[in-house]
């Protein structure tokens, strides 16, 4: 008898006997319900059929072998995953129930003879802060007592549904590491039910709760089968911010046969499910739940006899984490992504983030005379606190314009935020703040004066001094790089990196860099000065400039491909995907190597996503530019890059002639024409400078990378790290400690790599507040076949979409539309072939937009989830004027554009 009771306890556990430490026994749902029950919150009594019991349904050699096979499949091989998952489900469902499990469940049942039960899956990788698995596993309602064992078996089998397997594969969770428990509770005959989010999942705002509610059981809400009532409630005041009455076309009710769908009356459909007081009670209850778990919660609830019952609670995994460190005051703060400004939105490892925190922090604290955290981080991205600049009327407009250049939707959202919460951005001036304000003004005023002069002088002197400006930038960058690496001591290398840039240095260099805005300014003046001129004509006048960084890069790589074509053995080696060292060893490779090494000498300090200083530069890993050469060999004709350049030059000359002719018309023509000609020379000579400062500063980025990589190599030599690249998963203080003392504590590098992988799967916003809100524009009403972004280069083009994640591994055919996450200078060679451009991030002044206008490509940036919403090979229409992307065909019409063809 004692043995049977012990076995029952192993297979079944009451909810009120479970807690947060019982995840491995009760799964996520069961453990969370145990926490709620222990806290005295309203939870329907019940029990968990443990993972030990569920294991009896998978304790079979054939099932274990199939699960191992499932783990061996590539995460992207959906067919193989689905086939093996179906095999496992069939094997599990064919397994007989263990008698001991049957007895344990029977003993745990405590309902009336005619009671029915809810049987819910509770996997060990479910309802976690980083993976909710919402809707991935099966739930069964109104199950009779005699059928519970069969439903438990079906829940175990649902661990291997196609959707659950795909979810785990995407999340990097091994299938063999996950087990299933099952929650069993007596059914409640709910008057109403639904979902409560303790934070607004649409905006991310933590101070607003949202509620979806319908009559009857809530599974219709979870499954999206009804348009439920939707409410938004201010958590601090209880104010009902909005209440939208849904149509509630059907409601699910308990019946003698289980559940039945009932059609409510018109009056019932049009009436509110919850009163204001009920909403407040529910939101307060949600606040208590969130306090228990310390993260915003997604809560399923039911209303029974005017009392709320909690059915389950899990973290809202879709929320972007709050920026840290948290503000040290009670004010609202606004943070702007540094990566979005660089068109590089990927997550960065901890040490790379620490570098940016130190560099930006030192400069800004030096100028403002304060000591504050200017740089925060969220999901592996760096964000700048722009709050102080939003409090001053004269800087506010400039900040919004800067945001608009990065992301138009974010800028519109910021403007709305400034109107709705203007008082929270006011800066109180007092005698106490006056000294600091004067110090800041003293530092900044001379810089502003020099910036203004450098912004005016080029309009007077025209194109003079351009070559000297570029040479000075490159000389400065080379000197900085050499100084950074002028030591073999690891501690000194680390010091050199984290010294960053002094305010004095920035004050010296920034005015000179005003040259980069002269071209766009001259173009704006031309649009206003020349009768009938428009943006398209003025942009065309800038094309075909061989001095532009991206054009130099594209021409060099095209020339290298042509050199490779002259030696068939070299060309074939490149097409076969051989490494650079293998190609160097190929007979007759000398001309190719000479041309490629010249490219590396000029551009080897660059990289894809180079803002992330952990990434190897092209001189460290030449596979990037080599891949672009390979793509050129596959998809281009010899000399095509030079032919396109000549065509752009002709377009430019035609636009220049048109502007000149228009300027000469009318009574003011004789006066206006000389001025326009001078402006055109200024415009043409300066427009290519926009990427020169970035090209120069990339030398410093490369030196930072080399210095910290060498520190990592030192730690490997000391036996501290296993791989030099592990250095990027240290924090600055940890790196300094380990360099000073090899016996210092080493953090869990593997855990940080897993966290970095999780961050990499999250789409971080360009702007976020300290409350978690993501300011953005209201999206216009468009049909389901149209994606909305920001038009950054005018024109309309239709064509086949090519989804590209890495410019070094893809061949873009002439006339295809490039669809990519972002586009820094490393992507430029693909623009030469593309017919249009769509990016997930970016604005009017990011690199992709600038080059698209240079090449005359219709382009739309900031298209959310473009690389997943658009299918590879799908025909699309890109409207760079309206900022839309229209999906023109369905899946059956998608063209085969297998990479490498």
């Amino acid at each position: 008898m004692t043995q049977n009771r012990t076995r029952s306890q192993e297979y079944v556990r009451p909810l009120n006997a479970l807690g947060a430490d019982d995840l491995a026994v009760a799964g996520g749902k069961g453990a969370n319900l145990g926490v709620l029950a222990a806290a005295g919150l309203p939870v329907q009594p019940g029990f968990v059929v443990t993972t030990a019991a569920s294991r009896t349904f998978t304790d079979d050699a054939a099932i274990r072998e199939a699960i191992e096979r499932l783990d061996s499949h590539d995460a992207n091989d959906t067919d193989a995953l689905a086939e093996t998952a179906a095999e496992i489900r069939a094997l599990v469902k064919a397994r007989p129930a263990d008698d001991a499990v049957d007895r344990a469940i029977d003993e745990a049942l405590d309902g009336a003879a005619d009671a029915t039960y809810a049987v819910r899956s509770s996997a060990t990788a479910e309802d976690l802060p980083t993976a909710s698995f919402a809707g991935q596993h099966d739930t069964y309602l109104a199950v009779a007592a005699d059928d519970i064992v069969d439903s438990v078996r079906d829940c175990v089998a649902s661990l291997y549904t196609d959707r659950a397997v795909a979810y785990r594969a995407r999340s990097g969770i091994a299938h063999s590491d996950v087990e299933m428990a099952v929650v069993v509770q007596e059914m409640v005959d709910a008057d109403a039910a639904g979902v409560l989010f303790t934070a607004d999942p649409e905006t991310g705002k933590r101070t607003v709760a949202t509620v979806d509610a319908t009559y009857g059981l809530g599974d219709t809400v979870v499954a999206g089968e009804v348009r439920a009532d939707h409410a938004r409630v201010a958590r601090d005041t209880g104010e009902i911010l909005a209440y939208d009455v849904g149509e509630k076309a059907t409601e699910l009710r308990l019946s003698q046969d289980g559940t039945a769908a009932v059609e409510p009356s018109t009056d019932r459909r049009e009436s509110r499910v919850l009163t204001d007081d009920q909403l407040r009670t529910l939101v307060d209850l949600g606040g208590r739940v969130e306090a228990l778990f310390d993260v915003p919660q997604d809560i399923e609830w039911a209303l029974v006899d005017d009392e709320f019952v909690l059915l389950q609670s899990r973290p809202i995994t879709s929320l972007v984490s709050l920026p840290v460190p948290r503000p040290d005051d009670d004010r609202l703060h606004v943070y702007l992504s540094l990566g979005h400004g660089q068109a590089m939105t990927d997550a960065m490892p901890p040490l790379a983030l620490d570098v940016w925190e130190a560099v930006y922090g030192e400069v800004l604290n030096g100028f403002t005379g304060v000591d504050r955290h200017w740089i925060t981080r969220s999901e592996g991205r760096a964000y700048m606190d722009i709050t102080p600049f939003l409090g001053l009327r004269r800087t506010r407009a400039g900040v919004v314009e800067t945001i608009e250049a990065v992301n138009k939707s974010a800028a519109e959202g910021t403007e709305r935020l400034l109107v709705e919460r203007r008082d929270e951005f006011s800066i109180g001036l007092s005698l106490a703040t006056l000294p600091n304000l004067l110090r800041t003004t003293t530092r900044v005023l001379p810089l502003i004066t020099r910036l203004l002069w450098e912004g005016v002088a080029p309009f007077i002197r025209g194109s003079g001094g351009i070559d000297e400006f570029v040479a000075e930038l490159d000389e400065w960058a080379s000197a900085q790089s050499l100084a950074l690496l002028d030591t073999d001591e690891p501690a000194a290398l680390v010091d050199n990196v984290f010294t960053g840039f002094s305010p004095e240095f920035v004050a010296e260099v920034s005015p000179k860099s005003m040259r980069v805005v002269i071209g766009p300014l001259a173009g704006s003046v031309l649009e206003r000065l020349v009768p009938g001129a428009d943006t398209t004509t003025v942009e065309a006048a800038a094309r075909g400039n061989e001095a532009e960084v991206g054009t130099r890069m594209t021409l060099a790589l095209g020339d290298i491909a042509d050199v490779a074509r002259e030696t068939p053995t070299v060309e074939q080696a490149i097409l076969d995907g051989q490494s650079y060292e293998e190609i160097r060893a190929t007979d007759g490779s000398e001309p190719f190597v000479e041309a490629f090494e010249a490219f590396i000498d000029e551009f080897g300090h660059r990289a894809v996503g180079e803002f992330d200083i952990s990434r190897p530069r092209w001189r460290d890993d030449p596979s990037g530019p080599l891949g672009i050469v390979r793509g050129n060999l596959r998809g281009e004709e010899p000399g095509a890059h030079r032919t396109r350049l000549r065509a752009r030059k002709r377009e430019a000359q035609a636009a220049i002639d048109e502007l000149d002719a228009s300027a000469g018309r009318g009574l003011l023509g004789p006066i206006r024409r000389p001025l326009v000609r001078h402006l055109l020379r200024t415009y043409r000579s300066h427009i290519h400078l926009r990427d020169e400062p970035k090209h120069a500063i990339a030398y410093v980025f490369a030196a930072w990378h080399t210095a910290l990589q060498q520190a990592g190599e030192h730690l490997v030599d000391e036996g501290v790290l296993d791989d030099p690249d592990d250095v990027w998963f240290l924090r600055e203080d940890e790196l300094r400690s380990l360099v000073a003392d090899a016996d210092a504590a080493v953090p869990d590098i593997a855990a940080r790599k897993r966290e970095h992988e999780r961050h990499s799967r999250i789409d971080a916003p360009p702007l976020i507040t300290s409350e978690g809100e993501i300011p953005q524009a209201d999206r216009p009403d468009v049909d389901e076949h149209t994606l909305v972004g920001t038009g950054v280069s005018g024109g309309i083009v239709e064509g086949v979409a090519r989804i590209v994640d890495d410019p070094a591994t893809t061949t873009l055919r002439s006339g295809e539309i490039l669809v990519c996450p972002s586009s820094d200078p490393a992507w430029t060679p693909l623009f030469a072939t593309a017919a249009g451009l769509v990016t997930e991030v970016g604005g009017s002044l990011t690199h992709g937009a600038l080059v698209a206008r240079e090449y005359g490509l219709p382009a739309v940036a900031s298209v959310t989830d473009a690389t997943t919403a658009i299918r590879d090979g799908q025909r699309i229409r890109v409207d760079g004027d309206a900022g839309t992307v229209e999906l023109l065909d369905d899946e059956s019409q998608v063209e085969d554009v297998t990479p490498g063809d």
Side-chain angles (χ1 to χ4, degrees):
M1 186 68 176
T2 302
Q3 184 177 5
N4 288 339
R5 187 161 53 248
T6 302
R7 184 62 59 86
S8 296
Q9 291 172 344
E10 179 186 352
Y11 288 157
V12 170
R13 295 273 295 275
L15 282 177
N16 58 14
L18 295 166
D21 296 332
D22 292 312
L23 177 67
V25 173
K29 189 182 282 96
N32 288 354
L33 285 172
V35 172
L36 299 179
L41 292 168
V43 174
Q44 183 76 349
F47 59 89
V48 169
V49 180
T50 67
T51 52
S54 297
R55 211 173 294 137
T56 64
F57 291 105
T58 59
D59 188 15
D60 176 80
I63 294 175
R64 288 193 295 272
E65 186 278 328
I67 294 173
E68 291 177 4
R69 197 165 1 110
L70 192 65
D71 271 330
S72 70
H73 293 324
D74 187 284
N76 296 315
D77 191 346
T78 55
D79 291 339
L81 289 170
E83 182 179 348
T84 305
E87 178 185 343
I88 297 171
R89 290 196 304 272
L91 289 170
V92 170
K93 290 189 176 186
R95 289 277 295 171
D98 187 290
D99 289 342
V101 173
D102 203 338
R103 285 195 303 271
I105 293 174
D106 187 59
E107 291 171 7
L109 294 174
D110 192 27
D114 59 348
T116 59
Y117 297 84
V119 181
R120 302 177 186 271
S121 299
S122 179
T124 54
E126 181 177 277
D127 294 355
L128 305 179
T130 58
S132 72
F133 277 84
Q136 304 303 315
H137 306 123
D138 290 345
T139 287
Y140 300 93
L141 301 181
V143 178
D146 292 342
D147 297 327
I148 288 178
V149 173
D150 289 339
S151 295
V152 168
R153 181 195 292 106
D154 288 342
C155 285
V156 175
S158 76
L159 199 58
Y160 303 99
T161 60
D162 292 351
R163 58 186 183 274
V165 166
Y167 191 106
R168 286 196 296 271
R170 288 196 305 271
S171 302
I173 299 173
H175 307 289
S176 55
D177 289 345
V178 182
E179 292 189 295
M180 180 66 78
V182 180
V183 175
V184 180
Q185 295 168 290
E186 189 172 341
M187 285 292 299
V188 295
D189 192 5
D191 301 313
V195 179
L196 160 67
F197 291 96
T198 62
D200 188 341
E202 292 185 11
T203 66
K205 197 171 184 179
R206 267 58 167 189
T207 58
V208 173
T210 66
V211 177
D212 286 339
T214 193
Y215 294 118
L217 303 177
D219 281 60
T220 54
V221 176
V222 177
E225 295 172 355
V226 298
R227 192 168 74 83
D229 287 7
H230 180 72
R232 299 176 71 249
V233 183
R235 292 182 56 182
D236 51 351
T237 65
E239 178 186 358
I240 312 302
L241 302 174
Y243 194 110
D244 176 30
V245 178
E247 61 181 352
K248 302 181 291 290
T250 185
E251 56 185 270
L252 194 64
R253 290 288 185 181
L254 288 182
S255 69
Q256 292 182 341
D257 298 323
T259 60
V262 178
E263 184 177 346
S265 66
T266 301
D267 289 344
R268 189 168 172 82
R269 288 202 303 269
E270 295 176 354
S271 65
R272 284 177 52 162
V273 173
L274 298 177
T275 66
D276 286 358
D277 286 342
Q278 287 173 328
L279 276 173
R280 295 187 184 100
T281 299
L282 179 60
V283 169
D284 288 344
L285 189 60
R288 293 170 60 191
V289 175
E290 182 181 300
L292 281 176
F293 295 106
D294 201 31
V295 291
Q297 295 289 296
D298 167 1
I299 301 167
E300 293 182 23
W301 55 269
L303 184 65
V304 184
D305 297 330
D306 206 31
E307 296 290 337
F308 286 104
V309 177
L310 302 179
L311 304 178
Q312 76 174 57
S313 186
R314 57 175 166 245
I316 308 174
T317 56
S318 62
L319 292 177
V320 175
S321 62
L322 294 174
V324 292
R326 305 294 296 136
D328 55 7
D329 56 31
D330 295 327
R331 302 184 64 180
L332 179 70
H333 287 244
V334 182
Y335 305 100
L336 177 65
S337 166
L338 297 179
H340 279 73
Q342 299 292 329
M344 203 298 293
T345 58
D346 293 347
M348 292 185 278
L351 192 60
L353 291 171
D354 281 351
V355 171
W356 290 121
E357 184 174 342
V359 170
Y360 278 93
E362 181 176 341
V363 170
L364 289 169
N365 282 331
F367 271 114
T368 59
V370 299
D371 183 15
R372 64 178 296 163
H373 280 291
W374 287 96
I375 304 300
T376 63
R377 60 188 74 195
S378 172
E379 310 296 4
R381 279 79 169 183
Y383 287 82
M384 179 185 291
D385 188 351
I386 61 173
T387 311
F389 308 112
L390 295 174
L392 298 173
R393 184 178 61 188
R394 294 190 176 182
T395 59
R396 184 183 302 135
V399 171
V400 172
E401 288 180 8
T402 299
I403 298 171
E404 184 172 14
V406 174
N407 186 287
K408 185 176 181 180
S409 177
E412 293 178 13
T414 304
E415 289 183 318
R416 187 174 67 247
L417 191 69
L418 288 169
V419 171
E420 293 174 353
R421 307 180 67 171
R422 180 174 296 275
D423 292 344
E424 300 188 48
F425 294 103
S426 62
I427 297 178
L429 298 178
S430 65
L431 290 176
T433 61
L434 189 58
N436 187 59
L437 180 62
L438 290 174
R439 283 195 299 270
T440 301
T441 303
T442 302
R443 290 184 180 92
V444 173
L445 193 57
L447 176 60
I448 293 175
T449 302
R450 291 189 61 197
L451 287 171
L452 289 174
W453 167 245
E454 292 294 344
V456 172
F459 284 97
I460 299 172
R461 59 177 177 249
S463 59
I466 296 295
D467 293 340
E468 293 80 1
F469 167 73
V470 174
E472 186 177 353
L473 275 179
D474 288 342
E475 288 170 6
W476 160 80
S478 296
Q480 288 283 314
S481 301
L482 291 172
L484 273 163
L485 299 173
D486 190 23
T487 178
D488 293 326
E489 293 296 323
L493 288 169
V494 175
D495 284 339
N496 289 347
V497 172
F498 282 95
T499 296
F501 306 119
S502 68
E504 293 75 20
F505 165 78
V506 175
E508 176 66 25
V509 171
S510 295
K512 298 176 182 178
S513 297
M514 278 296 291
R515 285 265 189 170
V516 303
V517 304
I518 301 306
L521 284 175
S524 297
V525 174
L526 284 169
E527 285 186 45
R528 291 168 173 76
L529 186 60
V530 178
D534 57 18
T535 301
T536 302
T537 305
V538 172
E539 287 177 353
R543 291 175 189 155
N545 194 325
E546 294 184 54
E548 195 268 331
V549 171
T551 300
R552 296 204 312 265
M553 194 183 300
T554 301
L555 292 175
L557 290 171
D559 288 345
I560 291 170
D562 284 350
V563 171
R565 287 184 175 98
E566 295 173 1
T567 309
T569 53
V570 172
E571 180 181 16
Q572 192 58 51
I574 297 171
L575 290 172
D576 289 342
Q578 293 186 21
S579 69
Y580 181 55
E581 291 305 316
E582 291 172 322
I583 296 168
R584 284 174 61 105
T586 302
D587 289 341
S589 66
E590 291 80 5
F592 170 81
V593 169
E594 182 180 354
F596 194 80
E597 292 291 344
F599 176 88
I600 294 298
D601 286 344
E602 183 174 4
F603 299 105
H605 63 295
R606 307 303 299 265
V608 177
E610 61 199 355
F611 188 68
D612 178 358
I613 62 168
S614 72
R615 297 189 179 188
R617 310 293 116 166
W618 284 341
R619 67 189 182 200
D620 307 313
D621 178 8
S623 62
L626 191 60
I628 296 172
V629 172
R630 184 180 304 115
N632 188 300
L633 292 174
R634 284 175 176 161
E636 290 280 271
E637 294 296 324
H641 56 295
R642 294 285 175 181
T643 301
R644 281 192 296 268
L645 176 64
R646 289 191 291 271
R648 291 202 302 276
K649 286 184 175 182
R650 289 193 296 271
E651 291 172 8
Q653 189 58 56
I656 291 169
D657 292 343
E658 181 181 340
L659 291 170
D660 182 69
S662 297
R665 296 190 184 105
L667 293 175
L668 296 178
I671 300 173
R672 184 169 49 221
R673 182 176 241 170
L675 178 58
V676 166
R677 287 176 173 174
H678 177 74
L679 278 172
L680 277 168
R681 287 191 295 272
T682 303
Y683 176 55
R684 286 273 303 172
S685 62
H686 283 80
I687 198 66
H688 75 279
L689 296 180
R690 54 204 171 194
D691 277 334
E692 289 294 349
K694 177 70 177 291
H695 184 69
I697 200 70
Y699 282 107
V700 179
F701 294 176
W704 288 347
H705 172 84
T706 299
L708 294 178
Q709 199 74 28
Q710 287 179 5
E713 291 167 359
H714 165 75
L715 293 178
V716 171
D717 292 340
E718 292 292 309
V720 176
L721 298 178
D722 296 328
D723 187 314
D725 288 342
D726 288 349
V727 72
W728 301 106
F729 296 92
L730 299 173
R731 298 297 303 268
E732 177 192 355
D733 58 339
E734 296 165 345
L735 174 59
R736 290 184 183 276
S737 295
L738 289 168
V739 166
D741 178 9
D743 293 325
V746 180
D748 189 340
I749 299 293
R752 290 190 178 175
K753 287 182 177 180
R754 290 193 296 271
E755 184 179 37
H756 178 65
E757 284 297 315
R758 182 180 67 81
H759 288 157
S760 299
R761 294 191 294 269
I762 295 172
D763 291 327
L767 207 71
I768 189 171
T769 74
S770 52
E771 295 177 352
E773 182 176 4
I774 301 173
Q776 54 192 335
D778 293 329
R779 297 189 69 81
D781 291 331
V782 294
D783 62 46
E784 60 183 352
H785 301 295
T786 302
L787 308 177
V788 178
T790 302
V792 294
S793 181
I796 300 173
V797 65
E798 292 185 13
V800 172
R802 167 57 67 86
I803 312 299
V804 180
D805 295 317
D806 183 349
T809 59
T810 299
T811 301
L812 196 69
R813 297 170 178 168
S814 180
E816 289 180 334
I817 296 173
L818 174 61
V819 181
C820 54
S822 59
S823 54
D824 61 14
W827 294 78
T828 300
L830 294 184
F831 286 35
T833 313
L837 173 68
V838 179
T839 65
E840 293 183 329
V841 299
S844 59
L845 294 183
T846 49
H847 178 83
L850 296 171
V851 177
R853 293 196 290 271
E854 153 73 12
Y855 286 11
L857 306 179
V860 180
S862 297
V863 180
T864 303
D865 298 329
T867 57
T868 53
I870 301 170
R871 297 183 301 279
D872 202 40
Q874 185 173 25
R875 288 194 64 79
I876 61 176
R877 177 185 294 116
V878 177
D879 188 334
D881 300 309
T884 60
V885 180
E886 187 177 351
L887 312 181
L888 299 178
D889 50 21
D890 58 31
E891 194 163 358
S892 64
Q893 297 171 298
V894 172
E895 296 185 20
D896 179 13
V897 287
T898 304
D901 285 355

